[in-house]
Amino acid sequence: MPRTNGVADRSSAPNGSVRVKAEKFKQENARRDKGKQRARVETEDEEEQYEEDAEGEVDAEGEEDAEGEEEGSPRGSKRMRVNGHGDSRPSGSLPEVKRGKTLPRDVDGYIPGSIVRIQLMNFVTYDYVQFSPGPYLNMIIGPNGTGKSSIACAIALGLNFPPSILGRASDLNSFVKIGSDKGYIEIELKGIRGRGNYTIRRNLSAKSKSSTFTLNGEPATGNEIKQKMLELNVQVGNLCSFLPQDKVSEFAAMSPQQLLRETQRAAGDERLTQWHDTLIESGKELKSMEQLIKDDESQLAQWVERNEGIEREVQRYHERKKIEFEIALLEVLIPIEQYRFGLKEYSRLRALKKKLHDKANKLKKKNAPAHEFLRKLENALKKAEIRRDEMNSDTRNMFKALRKKNDASDKLESDWDDINTRLESLKKQEKERQKKIRLYEVEIQKAKEEIAKEPPEGLEDADGLTREARTIQQERNVAVMQRKEELDRQGKNLAEKRGMSSANKLHAEAELKKNDNADVQKLHSMSRWDPNTHKAILWLRQNQHRFKQKVFEPPFMCVNIKDRRYTNAVESCFSAAQLKSFVTQNREDLNTLNGCINDGQVLGQGVRIVTWYRDFNEHSVPPPPMSREEMHQIGFDGYALDYIDYPEGLESFLKKEVMLHRTAIALNGNKVDVNAAMAAVARPVGGSPGGATFINGTTINIVQRSRYGRKAIGNMTRDVPQARNLTVPSIDPELKTRLENAIEEAKQEMVGYDAEREHINQEREKLQKKEEVFQKRLDDVNRRKNLVAQEQKRISAATSRLERNQKLLKDLRSKPKVEEEEKRLRQKLLEVSHERMAISKQYLKMVKEVVACQTEATRLGLKYLQIGANRTALNELCKRKDEKFQKALVEFTKADEEFKKVKEESVALLNENKERLRALPPDTAEAYRVIERVRIQYDKSVKEAEQEGGPLPSAEGVDLRTVEELENELETQKAKLDMSFRTQPGVVEEYEKRKRDIEQLQQTIENRKKNAEKVENSIRKAKDNWQPALEKLVASIGEKFSAAFDRIGCAGEIRISQHEDYDKWAIDILVKFRDSEKLQLLTGQRQSGGERSLTTILYLMSLTEEARAPFSLVDEINQGMDQRAERNVHNSLVEVTCKEESAQYFLITPKLLPDLNYHERMKVLCVNNGEWLPEERNLGKMMNMIETYLQHNGGGKK
């Protein structure tokens, strides 16, 4: 039979009863298989998730972090809210579990959550075991290796706590007994009074890292088990409540901060942790808020200072805008007043026009009959005129037709002449054609003779000459061209190499020249001294066009020392900030530079530079303290300004800011009378109260005159430092040497390449001579080829002439005969004669018709003249009768024209005013509407008063100015505008934008201060709750801890270490084990292992009475203790854990000293280990086994 471990329990209760539960493997297997069918598999991830929770903090109201579960929010996703009592509330979804110190104890002595029964199957060293712990101290004892610590592992894993809290294997399947495929842990926990117990089983598999749970026989998830542990306040993950063997060293190594948090979780008020979390989170938040407020206030002060600097310009801008507003309003009021005047004139002229119109109509009716007869005459005259014009038109048309017939006849006559001319020229053309035919026949005969001529003697074959030339060319290629091409390639390679060497030489020379340049060296130095200023210089050089006037680079860059002997003295006059200052010549450029650089618009938020601008005139700068003659008499060489070169616009900065024109310098300090110099520079000059700086030798003298009392003179001296910035920068020697070596190397390479090129040129000359021989042979062949070509060209030209003349001869012979053309032309001549005869007959007929039409036209003209004479006579008669009517009509017409003119002007003014009003800005339009409403109401009141005959209303507050007065006012305002200083809109926009930013930032600061105040209140409330409760808890634990150390002849003390950061509050454990020592902080390195174990168990004992967990466990804590300490610890532990109000406690130990104290409430569980263990039930009760042994051996009774 294989070896099996077992557990026996021994109770010191009065009746001596021992309770042991043991079951057979077969019975247990049946129950296990039945439960397995309903179990649901939990993944390994769930255990890892629980591991994170167990090592993390416990949230408010006992809720552990639920990160990774389907329900609840991730820890830290929101800051914990603070209620009115300063308690923090997390944002998880798990239900709140109210924790008391411990849940009420049941009648059987067990506290809800304590362990009633443990059963293990194939777990680590156990095949099978079941035992029942007592409700108070349970001492588990047995030799090493028997499986005592496995019980601690079973408790942790069976209640779904992660393997990591044990400090052993990290995989669940590692806890299955070797050789077994599966196992389980079953733990029965005491339930809440009035309810049943909770039986939790965790099934393990050797082949899988996952496991399954059942709760009271029903399948359950790991989260459900976790939730049950929260309800029962089981704290296996807290080292203060559950200290496995492999975690003892970790307890001593815990930081004081960790110890404080673990102690809060294990004992005292259940709200300590949530109060502490509130203080930590709120404290961090308050620090962040205070820093933000500080940064915002700094930014606010900077913005306010900048706005104050341009406030006067903004004020002038607003004054100018006010004037512009008045001008705009006047430019509206003037045309409105003009329209109002025009409207009155319009009404007057309309009444006058109506009156004159009525008068003219009366006179018109009186002369109506005569005018009626005159109209009839005029109608008759018009009709006669129309008839006369029609007849004249017909006559003109007939004359046009006659002219056309005449033109047609003339054209036919011209055609007849042309035909006669062509008949005469036909004979001449025929003679010319015959002459050309004879000429072409002669040319054709000559060409045939030329073609038949024999070629010259000795003429060679063209193909043979071509082959001879090709042979010579091939010989030349072999003897000359191939070598020439090779030399060309070599020459090209040499040229490329020489070009590369030349380029390297030029590049090195350029680099040497560039690095030897003072500006480049200064830029390089500035990049090392101040990278931000270096970036700004480079940006300024690219963006000078953004500024109205030149912006000067820092004096470091643009100031040069004339005489190098004065470098130390001159540089000592500058501060570091002054050497790096960018100087502008107007405030607008200063604002632009600050906006682009210091406000982070172009180079980023982190870039800051020094900028400077002051209004400058000669009267605002104090003059030099001494004249030139007096300065030389005292022994000075000159003023610092005399020894530098600088841009003209930089003078204001050097005088007003650096005072170089007031700083006298003497290189030889022995020549200077210091007392005379002090008296000279301390004199008040030009409004200056006196005082200046002078340098004599290597000493700087800063002379000041007191402004109070007797105005005594004081002199503060310091040494002139060695100049570092205004010195002429020199090139890096190593770089210079490297560049010079590169230049020399390139030169040597070029000399070598030139020598090789000369050798190639010599060989080319030899090849050229050979090539000339071949060229002479080719020239001779080409000459002979030309003779052949000339003969071929002669034959080709003769053949071409022959073919061309034959074609021309053929064309001449193919032309038609002259007799046929003559016959055709005579027929055409006959046709033209017949057409001319027909036209003559038509022309005669049309002449007769024209004579008749002209006669009728004359008659109608005479009739028209008679009617016109009658109308004229009657018209004169009407005029004499209508003189009065005409006069009235003229007056009416004049009035009507004036009326129309005024009307047009009024309408135009009205339309212009409407357009002008529509285009007005809102503020100007509103001001106009107010003025117009008052004026309209006043005019209405005046009209009513005039109609009723009452007094006129008061004109106070009514704008009654005339057009002339308004125009005068407009000129006045325009004059003011011309005298007003023009401010750039960008300055105002910047001011207004910054003003809005200031208001917004002020509101932000106010809100942040309010929020900070709220956070301070929450911190104060939480601290008022947390600190007294913590001090009370630590005081209680510390009292018991110190008493325990006193009992073993040592000293121990527990203190709270406070800190401004609440996450750094800590519990310090101080111990002293020897009289010669002082109290020392407990650490993982300072004390021995036994001392750490003793301190740990005494701290845990002191914590026990305050603990909230239903059970606690310590494993082999007495290792390394001496017997005295171990005995005292054991006796104290029995006393503390066996009190009536004590919770369940497990003490695992491999050994016990003799004569220890025991208590009737404690229970001793012995782990038996052997080769053979019986399988019968109830054999695990040791008292029964002892009694049976005594009976069998005769020693049962005495």
Side-chain angles (χ1 to χ4, degrees):
M1 178 179 179
R3 186 180 70 175
T4 306
N5 293 347
V7 178
D9 58 352
R10 177 177 181 180
S11 176
S12 58
N15 56 10
S17 62
V18 178
R19 295 174 297 164
V20 177
K21 294 185 179 180
E23 296 183 10
K24 298 288 187 179
F25 289 160
K26 295 180 181 179
Q27 296 173 343
E28 185 55 41
N29 287 337
R31 290 180 56 192
R32 185 169 65 250
D33 294 338
K34 181 179 179 181
K36 181 177 179 181
Q37 296 173 358
R38 295 174 292 175
R40 289 183 290 176
V41 177
E42 295 295 323
T43 64
E44 183 183 3
D45 294 340
E46 186 177 47
E47 296 181 5
E48 293 175 354
Q49 169 192 335
Y50 205 149
E51 177 180 348
E52 294 173 2
D53 294 341
E55 292 179 350
E57 301 298 334
V58 178
D59 290 343
E61 297 299 332
E63 293 178 11
E64 288 187 309
D65 187 276
E67 182 176 356
E69 298 182 9
E70 292 181 3
E71 298 181 357
S73 61
R75 179 176 178 84
S77 62
K78 293 183 179 179
R79 186 178 65 83
M80 291 189 291
R81 306 294 181 186
V82 180
N83 60 23
H85 303 291
D87 301 337
S88 60
R89 299 293 184 199
S91 58
S93 62
L94 293 175
E96 294 187 1
V97 179
K98 182 66 176 178
R99 288 182 175 173
K101 187 170 184 179
T102 54
L103 296 173
R105 190 184 301 271
D106 206 345
V107 293
D108 58 0
Y110 288 93
I111 293 173
S114 57
I115 299 174
V116 176
R117 177 178 61 87
I118 298 177
Q119 184 182 109
L120 307 176
M121 180 70 179
N122 293 333
F123 185 79
V124 192
T125 60
Y126 293 98
D127 292 333
Y128 170 81
V129 69
Q130 177 176 279
F131 60 94
S132 299
Y136 294 98
L137 175 62
N138 292 274
M139 181 180 292
I140 301 176
I141 187 171
N144 288 330
T146 56
K148 303 184 301 300
S149 297
S150 298
I151 295 175
C153 295
I155 293 173
L157 298 178
L159 298 180
N160 196 22
F161 286 88
S164 60
I165 68 172
L166 302 172
R168 294 191 173 190
S170 59
D171 298 329
L172 284 175
N173 54 1
S174 301
F175 291 90
V176 179
K177 185 175 181 180
I178 298 174
S180 301
D181 294 334
K182 56 187 177 180
Y184 68 82
I185 306 166
E186 184 173 287
I187 299 176
E188 183 179 352
L189 298 180
K190 179 65 179 177
I192 299 174
R193 180 181 294 181
R195 305 180 189 175
N197 291 349
Y198 302 109
T199 301
I200 299 170
R201 173 180 285 195
R202 188 170 194 174
N203 299 302
L204 309 176
S205 174
K207 299 179 180 179
S208 174
K209 297 180 181 180
S210 61
S211 64
T212 60
F213 288 91
T214 61
L215 178 61
N216 293 334
E218 297 294 330
T221 65
N223 287 336
E224 292 172 350
I225 303 302
K226 285 171 60 179
Q227 182 61 31
K228 192 61 65 179
M229 296 305 101
L230 288 174
E231 293 177 3
L232 299 174
N233 200 20
V234 175
Q235 297 189 29
V236 174
N238 189 343
L239 291 180
C240 293
S241 300
F242 193 91
L243 189 61
Q245 177 181 352
D246 297 300
K247 291 286 185 175
V248 173
S249 60
E250 287 189 20
F251 183 89
M254 274 198 304
S255 68
Q257 293 81 12
Q258 291 175 316
L259 182 62
L260 171 65
R261 295 192 65 81
E262 296 297 330
T263 301
Q264 289 180 151
R265 291 175 58 202
D269 194 309
E270 65 272 11
R271 294 169 294 176
L272 280 170
T273 297
Q274 68 189 51
W275 286 334
H276 193 193
D277 289 340
T278 297
L279 290 172
I280 291 172
E281 297 297 329
S282 299
K284 292 179 180 178
E285 185 178 5
L286 182 61
K287 275 191 173 183
S288 176
M289 287 182 174
E290 289 173 344
Q291 184 60 43
L292 288 174
I293 291 171
K294 182 179 178 182
D295 294 343
D296 288 345
E297 288 177 341
S298 175
Q299 183 67 58
L300 179 63
Q302 184 180 3
W303 285 351
V304 169
E305 181 182 358
R306 288 192 184 175
N307 262 21
E308 288 175 350
I310 62 175
E311 189 170 6
R312 178 55 188 159
E313 293 184 36
V314 174
Q315 184 179 355
R316 288 197 295 265
Y317 174 83
H318 287 307
E319 290 173 356
R320 183 178 178 84
K321 281 296 180 183
K322 183 178 180 181
I323 296 172
E324 291 175 348
F325 174 81
E326 291 293 333
I327 290 174
L329 187 59
L330 287 169
E331 288 177 344
V332 174
L333 292 177
I334 289 172
I336 292 296
E337 189 60 31
Q338 290 173 344
Y339 173 73
R340 187 177 285 111
F341 176 78
L343 196 59
K344 292 179 181 178
E345 187 67 12
Y346 169 80
S347 300
R348 184 186 69 79
L349 289 174
R350 184 173 59 180
L352 177 61
K353 174 187 171 185
K354 185 176 183 303
K355 180 179 177 183
L356 294 174
H357 183 266
D358 293 343
K359 180 179 178 182
N361 280 342
K362 185 177 179 182
L363 293 172
K364 185 177 181 181
K365 289 178 182 179
K366 184 177 179 181
N367 299 326
H371 284 286
E372 182 64 25
F373 184 65
L374 181 61
R375 277 195 297 273
K376 290 179 180 181
L377 288 177
E378 287 177 347
N379 291 334
L381 181 64
K382 289 179 180 179
K383 291 179 181 179
E385 183 181 9
I386 292 170
R387 180 60 183 151
R388 183 198 65 179
D389 292 341
E390 289 175 351
M391 188 56 66
N392 289 335
S393 177
D394 293 341
T395 304
R396 285 192 296 271
N397 291 336
M398 289 180 179
F399 278 111
K400 288 180 181 178
L402 284 174
R403 281 194 295 272
K404 288 181 179 179
K405 290 295 181 180
N406 188 54
D407 292 340
S409 178
D410 291 342
K411 183 177 183 303
L412 289 173
E413 183 179 3
S414 176
D415 292 342
W416 189 87
D417 292 337
D418 290 341
I419 292 170
N420 280 331
T421 302
R422 289 175 63 185
L423 284 171
E424 292 176 358
S425 66
L426 278 177
K427 295 177 181 180
K428 294 180 180 179
Q429 291 176 2
E430 178 61 20
K431 291 179 181 179
E432 186 67 27
R433 186 175 73 85
Q434 292 298 327
K435 182 179 179 182
K436 287 183 179 180
I437 288 172
R438 288 192 296 273
L439 179 62
Y440 287 143
E441 288 174 347
V442 173
E443 290 295 326
I444 289 170
Q445 183 61 32
K446 289 180 179 180
K448 288 179 179 180
E449 292 174 355
E450 183 71 24
I451 293 171
K453 187 186 293 185
E454 291 294 330
E457 293 182 2
L459 193 65
E460 300 179 71
D461 180 46
D463 294 337
L465 292 173
T466 301
R467 286 192 296 273
E468 183 181 354
R470 188 181 301 115
T471 302
I472 296 171
Q473 186 67 36
Q474 290 174 352
E475 292 175 0
R476 185 176 69 169
N477 289 342
V478 173
V480 177
M481 298 307 294
Q482 292 180 358
R483 179 56 181 165
K484 188 175 181 181
E485 289 176 358
E486 183 180 352
L487 291 176
D488 288 342
R489 285 195 299 273
Q490 293 178 1
K492 183 178 180 182
N493 291 336
L494 284 175
E496 291 176 353
K497 292 179 180 179
R498 190 183 189 284
M500 188 176 299
S501 298
S502 178
N504 293 337
K505 172 177 169 291
L506 293 175
H507 180 264
E509 289 173 345
E511 283 294 314
L512 184 62
K513 183 178 179 182
K514 174 183 174 183
N515 285 278
D516 210 13
N517 182 278
D519 184 69
V520 173
Q521 293 299 314
K522 285 184 177 182
L523 275 176
H524 185 61
S525 299
M526 179 57 75
S527 67
R528 296 195 304 269
W529 184 20
D530 190 336
N532 287 344
T533 302
H534 176 257
K535 292 178 184 177
I537 292 171
L538 297 179
W539 179 86
L540 178 62
R541 292 184 177 183
Q542 299 293 327
N543 294 272
Q544 277 285 359
H545 61 277
R546 293 191 178 197
F547 303 96
K548 294 179 65 176
Q549 294 177 276
K550 180 176 177 60
V551 176
F552 295 102
E553 296 176 5
F556 179 89
M557 298 297 301
C558 61
V559 170
N560 296 307
I561 308 297
K562 296 178 181 178
D563 189 339
R564 292 299 159 188
R565 295 177 300 160
Y566 293 89
T567 303
N568 294 339
V570 172
E571 184 172 321
S572 67
C573 300
F574 289 86
S575 67
Q578 289 170 343
L579 280 172
K580 296 187 291 184
S581 295
F582 290 80
V583 178
T584 66
Q585 300 185 67
N586 58 74
R587 185 167 296 281
E588 183 179 349
D589 286 348
L590 176 69
N591 295 333
T592 301
L593 185 61
N594 280 328
C596 292
I597 306 298
N598 288 329
D599 291 346
Q601 294 179 8
V602 295
L603 297 182
Q605 293 294 335
V607 177
R608 294 289 184 273
I609 60 172
V610 182
T611 58
W612 186 91
Y613 167 72
R614 300 289 186 277
D615 292 330
F616 177 76
N617 58 68
E618 292 295 339
H619 301 293
S620 64
V621 177
M626 300 173 286
S627 65
R628 293 284 177 178
E629 294 76 10
E630 183 180 9
M631 178 179 62
H632 292 313
Q633 288 176 2
I634 295 174
F636 289 107
D637 302 333
Y639 288 110
L641 196 64
D642 301 335
Y643 301 107
I644 62 173
D645 288 323
Y646 54 88
E648 182 179 353
L650 198 65
E651 184 175 356
S652 60
F653 172 78
L654 299 175
K655 285 186 174 181
K656 196 160 189 175
E657 182 70 15
V658 192
M659 296 292 180
L660 294 185
H661 70 298
R662 290 177 53 81
T663 304
I665 299 176
L667 291 181
N668 187 355
N670 297 326
K671 293 168 53 179
V672 177
D673 185 345
V674 175
N675 292 328
M678 288 175 57
V681 302
R683 293 177 306 197
V685 178
S688 171
T693 299
F694 65 86
I695 299 173
N696 59 316
T698 59
T699 303
I700 301 174
N701 297 265
I702 303 172
V703 179
Q704 294 178 336
R705 179 183 288 275
S706 174
R707 298 185 180 182
Y708 308 99
R710 302 175 66 182
K711 299 187 176 353
I713 300 174
N715 184 14
M716 182 174 63
T717 63
R718 57 185 173 88
D719 292 336
V720 175
Q722 186 67 30
R724 295 184 302 173
N725 298 310
L726 295 181
T727 57
V728 177
S730 59
I731 187 172
D732 183 3
E734 182 180 350
L735 175 62
K736 184 176 181 181
T737 302
R738 187 168 68 251
L739 292 174
E740 288 176 344
N741 291 339
I743 293 170
E744 185 60 31
E745 181 180 352
K747 287 180 178 179
Q748 292 177 0
E749 289 177 352
M750 292 168 65
V751 170
Y753 294 145
D754 290 341
E756 291 183 28
R757 185 173 61 182
E758 182 62 28
H759 176 71
I760 290 172
N761 290 337
Q762 292 175 359
E763 191 169 350
R764 277 179 176 168
E765 289 176 358
K766 295 178 182 179
L767 290 174
Q768 185 65 30
K769 293 179 180 179
K770 291 182 180 181
E771 187 175 7
E772 288 174 356
V773 175
F774 284 106
Q775 188 62 43
K776 288 180 180 179
R777 292 173 61 191
L778 284 174
D779 291 343
D780 181 63
V781 173
N782 289 334
R783 180 185 59 76
R784 288 160 24 214
K785 285 176 69 177
N786 288 336
L787 293 175
V788 175
Q790 288 174 4
E791 180 62 19
Q792 291 175 345
K793 183 177 180 182
R794 181 185 67 78
I795 295 172
S796 176
T799 304
S800 177
R801 288 198 306 275
L802 176 62
E803 292 174 352
R804 183 175 68 258
N805 290 331
Q806 286 176 343
K807 181 177 182 302
L808 293 173
L809 179 61
K810 182 179 179 182
D811 291 342
L812 288 172
R813 287 175 176 174
S814 63
K815 285 186 177 181
K817 296 179 179 181
V818 176
E819 292 79 5
E820 295 176 358
E821 180 66 17
E822 182 179 3
K823 183 180 179 181
R824 188 183 65 79
L825 290 175
R826 291 188 182 280
Q827 180 64 33
K828 182 69 174 175
L829 188 62
L830 182 60
E831 292 174 358
V832 170
S833 298
H834 290 164
E835 288 180 9
R836 288 185 67 191
M837 185 179 294
I839 289 174
S840 298
K841 292 178 180 180
Q842 294 173 2
Y843 185 81
L844 181 60
K845 182 181 178 182
M846 292 174 65
V847 167
K848 293 178 180 180
E849 292 175 355
V850 168
V851 171
C853 188
Q854 183 63 38
T855 302
E856 181 63 19
T858 302
R859 187 185 67 80
L860 291 174
L862 292 174
K863 182 179 179 181
Y864 171 77
L865 292 175
Q866 182 62 49
I867 295 172
N870 294 339
R871 189 203 65 160
T872 302
L874 183 59
N875 190 35
E876 290 295 330
L877 177 62
C878 289
K879 284 182 179 180
R880 287 194 299 272
K881 291 183 177 182
D882 290 343
E883 288 181 358
K884 292 183 180 180
F885 169 74
Q886 293 299 331
K887 184 178 179 181
L889 187 60
V890 169
E891 292 176 352
F892 167 76
T893 303
K894 182 179 179 181
D896 183 55
E897 290 175 353
E898 292 181 1
F899 170 77
K900 289 179 179 178
K901 181 180 178 182
V902 171
K903 182 179 179 181
E904 290 176 358
E905 291 175 352
S906 298
V907 170
L909 273 175
L910 178 61
N911 294 331
E912 290 176 4
N913 289 336
K914 286 181 179 179
E915 291 297 326
R916 188 177 287 108
L917 290 174
R918 276 194 291 268
L920 281 180
D923 53 347
T924 310
E926 180 60 27
Y928 162 73
R929 284 193 288 270
V930 171
I931 294 172
E932 190 63 17
R933 279 197 297 269
V934 174
R935 178 63 182 270
I936 291 172
Q937 183 61 37
Y938 174 77
D939 291 343
K940 182 179 179 181
S941 300
V942 169
K943 186 176 180 181
E944 291 175 353
E946 290 176 348
Q947 291 175 352
E948 297 174 0
L952 296 177
S954 173
E956 184 178 357
V958 184
D959 192 347
L960 297 177
R961 289 177 291 181
T962 63
V963 173
E964 184 179 358
E965 292 173 339
L966 291 171
E967 288 176 345
N968 292 337
E969 179 63 19
L970 177 62
E971 293 300 323
T972 301
Q973 293 297 334
K974 285 184 177 179
K976 289 183 180 179
L977 184 65
D978 292 338
M979 292 186 291
S980 174
F981 178 77
R982 182 181 294 276
T983 301
Q984 291 296 330
V987 176
V988 180
E989 290 174 6
E990 177 186 356
Y991 177 86
E992 296 297 337
K993 178 181 180 299
R994 192 177 290 124
K995 184 177 180 182
R996 291 191 299 272
D997 292 343
I998 289 171
E999 294 172 354
Q1000 184 178 358
L1001 188 57
Q1002 288 174 337
Q1003 183 63 39
T1004 300
I1005 293 172
E1006 183 179 353
N1007 293 337
R1008 283 180 173 163
K1009 286 183 177 179
K1010 290 179 180 178
N1011 293 335
E1013 186 177 355
K1014 292 179 182 177
V1015 174
E1016 286 180 348
N1017 291 335
S1018 70
I1019 291 174
R1020 184 168 54 255
K1021 291 178 181 179
K1023 186 176 181 181
D1024 291 344
N1025 290 323
W1026 175 68
Q1027 186 172 357
L1030 178 64
E1031 291 174 347
K1032 179 180 177 182
L1033 172 63
V1034 174
S1036 175
I1037 297 172
E1039 182 180 354
K1040 298 178 179 63
F1041 184 77
S1042 298
F1045 264 84
D1046 290 342
R1047 286 195 293 271
I1048 62 174
C1050 300
E1053 185 177 330
I1054 299 176
R1055 300 174 184 171
I1056 297 176
S1057 175
Q1058 298 186 9
H1059 196 275
E1060 62 177 1
D1061 294 335
Y1062 291 101
D1063 59 345
K1064 295 182 181 177
W1065 278 53
I1067 289 179
D1068 292 336
I1069 299 178
L1070 295 94
V1071 294
K1072 183 178 77 169
F1073 292 96
R1074 284 163 284 278
D1075 293 337
S1076 60
E1077 295 177 347
K1078 295 182 180 180
L1079 284 171
Q1080 294 180 334
L1081 187 68
L1082 177 69
T1083 66
Q1085 298 80 29
R1086 181 174 295 164
Q1087 288 78 18
S1088 66
E1091 291 171 345
R1092 291 197 300 271
S1093 298
L1094 176 62
T1095 304
T1096 300
I1097 189 61
L1098 292 180
Y1099 185 83
L1100 295 177
M1101 285 171 48
S1102 305
L1103 191 64
T1104 299
E1105 295 185 35
E1106 302 290 338
R1108 299 194 302 270
F1111 67 85
S1112 302
L1113 179 146
V1114 291
D1115 187 0
E1116 297 193 14
I1117 195 66
N1118 55 345
Q1119 293 298 315
M1121 295 184 190
D1122 58 28
Q1123 291 189 5
R1124 181 177 65 87
E1126 185 176 351
R1127 184 179 301 280
N1128 288 329
V1129 167
H1130 174 85
N1131 294 337
S1132 298
L1133 183 62
V1134 170
E1135 179 184 356
V1136 170
T1137 58
C1138 291
K1139 293 181 179 179
E1140 185 175 357
E1141 67 275 10
S1142 297
Q1144 190 178 47
Y1145 206 95
F1146 291 88
L1147 174 63
I1148 299 176
T1149 179
K1151 61 185 178 65
L1152 287 175
L1153 297 174
D1155 300 325
L1156 295 174
N1157 293 338
Y1158 294 91
H1159 196 279
E1160 62 181 3
R1161 291 195 178 97
M1162 69 181 290
K1163 191 171 189 178
V1164 179
L1165 300 173
C1166 296
V1167 180
N1168 299 313
N1169 188 352
E1171 292 291 334
W1172 300 97
L1173 290 176
E1175 296 185 6
E1176 290 80 359
R1177 294 185 179 183
N1178 298 325
L1179 289 183
K1181 294 183 179 180
M1182 183 168 286
M1183 291 302 298
N1184 291 345
M1185 294 170 65
I1186 293 173
E1187 290 174 358
T1188 301
Y1189 175 81
L1190 293 175
Q1191 288 176 1
H1192 288 170
N1193 290 276
K1197 292 183 181 180
K1198 293 183 179 180

